Amino acid sequence: QVQLVESGGGLVQAGGSLRLSCAASGRTFSSAAWFRQAPGKERTFVASISWSGGRTYYADSVKDRFTISRDNAKNTVYLQMNSLKPEDTAVYYCAAGTMAYMGGLGNVAVWGQGTLVTVSS
């Protein structure tokens, strides 16, 4: 029974950076993804990554600013967020599934609890 725990969220000014971590316990990581949910909005796709890390996908809104990566030896997936904008403010959730693809993650097995990112102007 894999469990995911996100960390690294916080308050940052526009233009700043944060690195989110998603640590898995119980099993090795499968493909993974990050989603976010802004206040009053639906949860949306941010980025996904294959098991090997060789395939990555990004939402247009974060492309060229965010980088998803993983360290399988640590069972951890990361989301490096640069040039943050106020519209990036959201609760960020990681998920584990069977296959990463543009726009999401197949057969999501588990979600993390979320970590809040607040970007001030």
Side-chain angles (χ1 to χ4, degrees):
Q1 294 183 2
V2 64
Q3 291 184 302
L4 307 178
V5 178
E6 300 98 333
S7 62
L11 175 64
V12 64
Q13 290 190 333
S17 298
L18 285 173
R19 188 195 196 195
L20 305 184
S21 297
C22 175
S25 62
R27 298 183 185 275
T28 57
F29 252 45
S30 58
S31 294
W34 289 93
F35 296 80
R36 66 186 181 186
Q37 187 167 21
K41 303 292 185 180
E42 295 183 348
R43 187 175 298 186
T44 59
F45 169 78
V46 176
S48 59
I49 187 168
S50 63
W51 166 81
S52 68
R55 306 279 186 176
T56 58
Y57 308 91
Y58 299 92
D60 288 344
S61 59
V62 306
K63 188 176 178 62
D64 300 323
R65 298 189 299 119
F66 291 10
T67 302
I68 188 170
S69 62
R70 67 190 304 159
D71 184 343
N72 286 351
K74 298 180 179 179
N75 281 348
T76 301
V77 173
Y78 304 96
L79 185 68
Q80 178 66 46
M81 305 185 294
N82 298 326
S83 301
L84 283 162
K85 305 174 180 179
E87 51 263 45
D88 295 319
T89 295
V91 176
Y92 284 71
Y93 301 89
C94 64
T98 57
M99 180 175 289
Y101 62 92
M102 179 61 206
L105 182 69
N107 297 114
V108 175
V110 63
W111 292 87
Q113 85 289 349
T115 186
L116 177 63
V117 172
T118 302
V119 184
S120 65
S121 59

